[in-house]
Amino acid sequence: MRAALRKAWKARSPRERMVVAALAAVLGAACYLLLLQSAERGRGQLRTSVAALRTQAALLEQQAAEHQLLRATPATPASTTDLRALVQARADAARLSGMTRIEAPDADHVQVVFGAVPFADWLGWVAALQAQHVSLEAARIEALSAPGMVSATATLSRAKAQ
């Protein structure tokens, strides 16, 4: 096989050999440049993904540190004050107007009725109560004709000690 190729090569004129050698060199250089360009594009994509992964890793480390801090923090004790007074104080602090009724059937439950209250404010009030270890046991919320306004009836209870 080699001998046949060598014989065919020698059978060509010097000018033909020069043209074939030049074409082979140009083709080799073009292939090399294509490979180089492809590698550079891949390296650029890897750079951007590495930057994104580093950002995600930093965020994950921050969240892990916050998680450890939260686990180490002792739980705040449940409030021992009168539940009705606590609910009323939180409503006053949140500037929720529209509370039409507040009843305490027992020491650990309170029922509240709002005629008209902004829904976002009501949700914030419930979240503030949960921070005070007061749970939303049941709720009935109805949208009113005014945008963002609702009427709400809720039963709240003191969180049980664990």
Side-chain angles (χ1 to χ4, degrees):
M1 180 84 171
R2 268 188 166 178
L5 283 176
R6 188 169 280 171
K7 184 177 179 184
W9 180 254
K10 296 281 186 184
R12 302 280 173 217
S13 69
R15 184 169 186 212
E16 286 179 340
R17 283 189 272 181
M18 182 66 81
V19 169
V20 170
L23 286 176
V26 168
L27 184 63
C31 289
Y32 178 75
L33 289 175
L34 284 174
L35 285 174
L36 192 63
Q37 180 186 11
S38 177
E40 194 62 35
R41 187 179 327 118
R43 193 163 57 165
Q45 290 173 346
L46 286 175
R47 266 193 210 113
T48 58
S49 66
V50 164
L53 288 173
R54 283 186 177 149
T55 303
Q56 288 176 354
L59 180 61
L60 186 60
E61 286 177 8
Q62 178 185 2
Q63 289 173 347
E66 185 176 338
H67 179 29
Q68 289 297 326
L69 181 66
L70 289 174
R71 288 184 87 188
T73 305
T76 56
S79 176
T80 57
T81 62
D82 178 35
L83 186 58
R84 185 178 190 273
L86 176 66
V87 168
Q88 183 66 52
R90 283 284 150 203
D92 293 342
R95 294 189 176 128
L96 285 180
S97 59
M99 186 184 295
T100 58
R101 190 176 73 208
I102 181 167
E103 296 176 356
D106 59 48
D108 290 331
H109 292 86
V110 172
Q111 294 173 338
V112 293
V113 177
F114 288 93
V117 64
F119 184 62
D121 294 347
W122 187 81
L123 284 177
W125 176 69
V126 170
L129 286 171
Q130 287 177 340
Q132 296 291 316
H133 301 284
V134 175
S135 302
L136 180 64
E137 227 175 64
R140 186 188 53 117
I141 301 169
E142 295 177 4
L144 299 177
S145 59
M149 298 296 285
V150 296
S151 68
T153 304
T155 301
L156 304 163
S157 65
R158 188 180 310 274
K160 306 290 185 248
Q162 294 180 356

